[in-house]
Amino acid sequence: MLVVMEAHATAEQIEAVCAEIRAMGFTPHPMPGPTRTAIGITGNQGPIEQAGRLQRLPGVSQLIRVTAPYKRVSREFKELDTIVEVGGVPIGGQGIAIIAGPCTVESREQTFNVAQAVRAAGAVILRGGAYKPRTSPYSFHGLGEAGLQILAEARALTGLPVVTEVMDTETLPLVLEYADMLQIGARNMQNYSLLRAVGRTQRPVLLKRGFAATVKDLLLAAEYILAEGNPNVVLCERGIRTFDDSLRFTLDLGAVPLIKQLSHLPVIVDPSHASGRADLVIPMARAALAAGADGLIVEVHDNPAYAVCDGTQSLVPDSFAGMMRQLARIAAAIERPLLSSVYR
Ligand code: PEP
Ligand code: MN
């Protein structure tokens, strides 16, 4: 349920509505808008029976039932786009943010090389995994804290904020010491204790869609984070499993404009894990921007043949730079600037 206040409603009237909502045993969430304040209500299971009491309070314009099962992430609840600030970089506004870097932090030299190259080409956030969720228990699982330290050094070197995956609640405090943005991977999208734990921080979260998750599942996973009090969530479409196994996953680009309608949260696309092939990353990246993505997360490696993980889908720095030049033109065509020091 959403209580929409009149444009001229006073602070006292808004507080009186909040007090009434609390008296009913629910939680009010006042959200000031450009013209009027709306007050979201959570804690109710189903329609609020005493809603008439709210309707009669001074300053109340109308009550709107939020029909979606997710509340705080829904457009019904909050009309205006959310902008998530990651180390000074806004994701979800007019500008398009390109995140790039290696799949995995392998060494200082590899991470610094890639970080400098992607920065020079216009990336605004550096990615890199220190804790890697791998399908096989025998694969390389990342450098752990040593990898986080390398990322922090790469940030100091380039000025780029870093996003890195947090795999469990045990390592969350450590990852929080280093990361500007916490990535929750596809395999962890429904790890509810982890979602709640990152929700109790205010750190930006990159929530990747599970490969067997519907759009509704993804939005409900995001709801866990918002429900704990962290509004800084960016959603990521990274491909799902379908009957077709020609590519690593099937990139569900229709989900991008759909989620933008259903939710106010920013949406980015990962064309690297979706296709699994470097030669398909650039066309899918172009399509993602055209479909309305607020950004991309792309894997880049200086020597993909020797990458410990995901070499086949990693772009070399030159191809990444070429892709950025094309993306700047696509962004201009849809009247959105590419955020970067290179493309202005
Ligand atoms: C990644 O981005 O490094 C990753 C493991 O992605 P996903 O969780 O989407 O598989
Ligand atoms: Mn990867």
Side-chain angles (χ1 to χ4, degrees):
M1 174 82 75
L2 200 59
V3 182
V4 181
M5 301 299 293
E6 284 166 357
H8 58 264
T10 63
E12 290 73 29
Q13 289 173 335
I14 293 168
E15 181 40 43
V17 174
C18 291
E20 187 64 37
I21 293 167
R22 281 189 288 267
M24 291 172 175
F26 307 130
T27 311
H29 307 276
M31 292 170 289
T35 54
R36 54 181 71 202
T37 291
I39 305 169
I41 304 177
T42 57
N44 51 310
Q45 313 284 333
I48 295 177
E49 280 167 19
Q50 321 94 307
R53 265 157 61 187
L54 296 173
Q55 183 72 74
R56 283 188 290 275
L57 290 176
V60 171
S61 162
Q62 56 169 326
L63 304 185
I64 299 175
R65 232 191 115 199
V66 179
T67 45
Y70 37 84
K71 307 292 174 195
R72 309 183 88 184
V73 310
S74 77
R75 273 267 180 223
E76 289 172 302
F77 216 88
K78 177 172 182 266
E79 200 185 328
L80 294 182
D81 286 344
T82 287
I83 298 179
V84 176
E85 289 262 350
V86 181
V89 176
I91 307 183
Q94 264 295 106
I96 291 171
I98 308 296
I99 304 172
C103 175
T104 307
V105 174
E106 298 170 17
S107 69
R108 220 172 230 101
E109 192 195 0
Q110 167 250 11
T111 305
F112 291 0
N113 278 345
V114 175
Q116 283 170 313
V118 299
R119 185 187 184 284
V124 283
I125 298 176
L126 176 65
R127 65 149 287 145
Y131 294 93
K132 296 301 300 177
R134 301 301 299 278
T135 301
S136 163
Y138 307 116
S139 304
F140 176 65
H141 282 80
L143 293 179
E145 187 171 8
L148 295 174
Q149 265 155 6
I150 293 173
L151 283 172
E153 290 169 29
R155 169 177 50 210
L157 186 71
T158 58
L160 297 180
V162 300
V163 55
T164 195
E165 178 158 358
V166 57
M167 276 183 46
D168 44 48
T169 50
E170 289 89 332
T171 46
L172 175 59
L174 186 65
V175 178
L176 277 169
E177 286 178 31
Y178 295 93
D180 298 290
M181 182 179 219
L182 303 166
Q183 177 172 327
I184 300 218
R187 290 158 190 79
N188 256 326
M189 189 206 81
Q190 286 175 311
N191 180 339
Y192 298 118
S193 50
L194 183 59
L195 296 174
R196 285 196 197 278
V198 300
R200 289 191 289 270
T201 76
Q202 287 295 300
R203 200 65 53 87
V205 177
L206 178 60
L207 179 62
K208 299 189 84 175
R209 178 178 181 183
F211 36 75
T214 63
V215 164
K216 186 168 140 193
D217 295 336
L218 172 63
L219 293 172
L220 281 167
E223 185 81 11
Y224 270 83
I225 302 172
L226 272 77
E228 292 293 329
N230 185 352
N232 304 309
V233 177
V234 174
L235 303 170
C236 180
E237 164 57 38
R238 47 78 71 214
I240 51 173
R241 279 246 157 95
T242 64
F243 61 87
D244 192 348
D245 60 1
S246 324
L247 294 175
R248 192 173 180 191
F249 295 97
T250 301
L251 184 59
D252 181 10
L253 276 187
V256 175
L258 176 65
I259 295 171
K260 299 287 300 176
Q261 281 184 15
L262 298 174
S263 173
H264 51 84
L265 294 176
V267 183
I268 70 166
V269 167
D270 175 345
S272 307
H273 290 88
S275 64
R277 281 174 43 173
D279 60 337
L280 300 184
V281 168
I282 297 178
M284 297 324 287
R286 292 191 298 237
L289 288 208
D294 297 305
L296 300 173
I297 180 165
V298 180
E299 288 187 343
V300 177
H301 198 286
D302 54 347
N303 195 352
Y306 288 88
V308 298
C309 179
D310 287 350
T312 51
Q313 68 195 35
S314 296
L315 296 182
V316 292
D318 272 356
S319 324
F320 178 74
M323 177 187 83
M324 290 295 286
R325 287 191 289 274
Q326 296 182 349
L327 296 182
R329 303 219 300 272
I330 292 173
I334 55 173
E335 294 172 347
R336 296 182 69 175
L338 208 54
L339 292 175
S340 100
S341 50
V342 181
Y343 295 97
R344 283 199 195 280

